[in-house]
Amino acid sequence: MQKKTRIVVTGMGAITPFGQGITSFWENLIAGKTAVRMTSDEQLRKWAPVTAEAATFSAEDFMERKLIRKTDRFSQMALAATAEALSDAGWKSREELNGDYDGNRVGIAMGCAFGGVQTLDEGMKRLAGGAAHAGPRLVPKSIPNAAAATIARQWGIHGPVITYSTACASSANAIGEASYWLRLGEADMVIAGGTECLFSPVILAGLRSAGALAVSGPEDDPGAWSRPFDAGRAGMVMGEGAGILILETYDHAVRRGAKIYAEFSGYGATNDAYHETAPDPTGFSAALAMTRALHQADIDPLQIDYVNAHATATQAGDAAESIALHEVFGNSLNRIPVSSIKGAVGHLLGAAAAVESIACIKALETETLPPTINCRQKDASAPADIVPDLSRHHRKIGFALSNSFGFGGQNGVLIWKNAASL
């Protein structure tokens, strides 16, 4: 492996609960706003009273009706985010992309925990209503790799196209594993990220039964139900969306004159081997993943200037992550700002790491730290500085670390380096 092969981000795209595009996401995030609202669907509201829906996203704004009929919402969001990311990187069409890159040398690494659950719901409803069949498109629309496969067809991509399904760490693993393709010379450019829409009665009911969802909070303020690091936190709020990054080798990005947003610096992956849903309370493997990412980046913990925490606002999860952070950073954690954006956009599950990586990259670019909102009484075990309530100017952010921890004990950690130092 060419360990020193440098990898950079040259394009970004997102669909989030704040709307379409990177600009909408970032401006609302640093303004301290929340996209968490009362759940619009009455049936879903029984299981999840509040959610962070991408309410303004309409597939019709991004694709033809024929393609909409062939795809589930999670694929549609991925397609829209990919189009933005590729356009941002300089390619507005399949022909333009193929002018710079051989489609055989382009890959797609997508993170997704479940796939097209809304299509599955529709099929079950049809059968329950007496229909003789569920429809020929049910399987190709609902399989977890449908989003990546559709993107490949739309853009003429013939390289490695792989979907990673590792719960909340899915898109962290997708981005991290994509880096190996570039370093091994298996691809010259990779579309990497994640997508998720789990607004399904059975999924939300299952998460509620597992004790993961926030089911109570201020009735007059649904936007305050997601409370990362708060002593009285009561569970996560489900969100939906997609985040896409364009990863290229540094040398090729420079040759084609691309704008470079950040450098991919390090990746660590581990498993708790502890419990199917609960994190290891010692934080051992979460800390190990951070240590591995630091080792790959070849930097000291003291060089991290910002941590984007996984912090979903569950009692056990936030506590275990706090312990892991203290283990890795020691007393220096007191000077490192740590924040979770899940108070603002909820938990995007398989898309969370990709969207949160975008937040890290924007923090590096703008010297602005996104806040942790809704933490009214900080848990005693939480990091000292969680950037409470309001965004903050922070000069010279050199490295940002992003944590993603999920069911099944899956841990994925990414480190991003400021492009100004390239």
Side-chain angles (χ1 to χ4, degrees):
M1 181 183 295
Q2 300 176 29
K3 188 176 181 181
K4 294 185 182 292
T5 298
R6 302 176 74 182
I7 299 165
V8 295
V9 177
T10 57
M12 300 186 291
I15 298 294
T16 75
F18 281 131
Q20 292 82 30
I22 298 294
T23 300
S24 176
F25 165 65
W26 183 243
E27 289 183 352
N28 281 285
L29 186 64
I30 62 171
K33 296 182 180 180
T34 179
V36 176
R37 304 281 188 272
M38 292 299 296
T39 305
S40 61
D41 185 281
E42 187 174 344
Q43 184 183 19
L44 297 181
R45 200 181 307 143
K46 292 188 297 185
W47 309 110
V50 301
T51 47
E53 302 172 59
T56 61
F57 173 73
S58 175
E60 286 82 359
D61 295 336
F62 300 94
M63 58 203 74
E64 297 178 356
R65 196 165 290 181
K66 182 179 179 180
L67 182 57
I68 293 172
R69 289 196 299 269
K70 292 181 177 180
T71 52
D72 184 272
R73 184 172 173 86
F74 90 109
S75 292
Q76 294 163 5
M77 291 190 294
L79 284 161
T82 297
E84 180 188 14
L86 287 169
S87 176
D88 188 35
W91 303 298
K92 290 182 168 53
S93 69
R94 176 173 176 160
E95 292 71 29
E96 288 182 3
L97 175 60
N98 288 328
D100 277 321
Y101 277 117
D102 177 353
N104 300 337
R105 302 282 304 161
V106 175
I108 300 172
M110 189 67 63
C112 182
F114 280 91
V117 297
Q118 294 189 329
T119 293
L120 291 173
D121 279 347
E122 293 167 5
M124 288 187 289
K125 288 176 183 176
R126 286 187 58 169
L127 294 178
H133 58 82
R137 292 196 179 108
L138 184 139
V139 172
K141 285 174 65 174
S142 63
I143 50 178
N145 69 318
T150 306
I151 293 167
R153 289 195 299 275
Q154 292 296 109
W155 290 89
I157 293 168
H158 299 278
V161 177
I162 299 179
T163 298
Y164 297 83
S165 185
T166 50
C168 314
S170 295
S171 52
N173 293 141
I175 293 167
E177 298 298 320
S179 72
Y180 295 136
W181 302 350
L182 292 165
R183 285 179 172 152
L184 285 166
E186 296 296 322
D188 297 322
M189 187 269 275
V190 182
I191 298 167
T195 185
E196 200 84 82
C197 175
L198 297 181
F199 293 146
S200 154
V202 69
I203 298 294
L204 295 180
L207 287 170
R208 179 166 180 156
S209 296
L213 291 184
V215 296
S216 63
E219 292 186 6
D220 61 340
D221 189 8
W225 282 35
S226 180
R227 295 176 283 166
F229 292 125
D230 188 83
R233 60 193 181 276
M236 72 180 191
V237 168
M238 181 60 70
E240 64 171 337
I244 298 294
L245 303 175
I246 304 303
L247 303 180
E248 300 182 63
T249 62
Y250 171 76
D251 290 343
H252 192 281
V254 170
R255 280 199 303 272
R256 73 178 188 88
K259 176 177 180 178
I260 295 175
Y261 287 100
E263 181 175 359
F264 173 85
S265 186
Y267 166 56
T270 62
N271 192 279
D272 284 356
Y274 175 78
H275 190 271
E276 62 268 26
T277 57
D280 179 350
T282 70
F284 171 79
S285 290
L288 180 60
M290 285 185 260
T291 301
R292 286 184 170 178
L294 289 163
H295 176 73
Q296 188 180 104
D298 196 23
I299 60 173
D300 186 272
L302 293 173
Q303 291 176 261
I304 295 295
D305 299 300
Y306 168 63
V307 173
N308 182 282
H310 181 64
T312 63
T314 62
Q315 284 288 340
D318 289 13
E321 183 172 12
S322 295
I323 291 170
L325 287 166
H326 283 288
E327 176 66 25
V328 173
F329 294 99
N331 292 333
S332 65
L333 184 63
N334 293 332
R335 68 156 188 82
I336 300 174
V338 178
S339 69
S340 168
I341 69 170
K342 292 185 175 73
V345 296
H347 189 1
L348 276 58
L349 220 81
V355 171
E356 290 169 20
S357 287
I358 290 170
C360 287
I361 293 165
K362 292 297 292 183
L364 294 170
E365 180 188 23
T366 65
E367 298 186 337
T368 304
L369 301 176
T372 302
I373 65 170
N374 299 329
C375 184
R376 310 292 164 78
Q377 183 179 351
K378 186 167 72 72
D379 190 285
S381 69
D385 181 7
I386 59 164
V387 195
D389 302 321
L390 300 173
S391 60
R392 181 193 307 161
H393 178 69
H394 191 86
R395 290 188 61 200
K396 297 180 180 178
I397 308 172
F399 291 92
L401 179 148
S402 183
N403 283 334
S404 297
F405 310 131
F407 280 5
Q410 302 289 161
N411 304 310
V413 176
L414 303 171
I415 296 177
W416 303 98
K417 183 179 180 180
N418 197 316
S421 61
L422 296 179

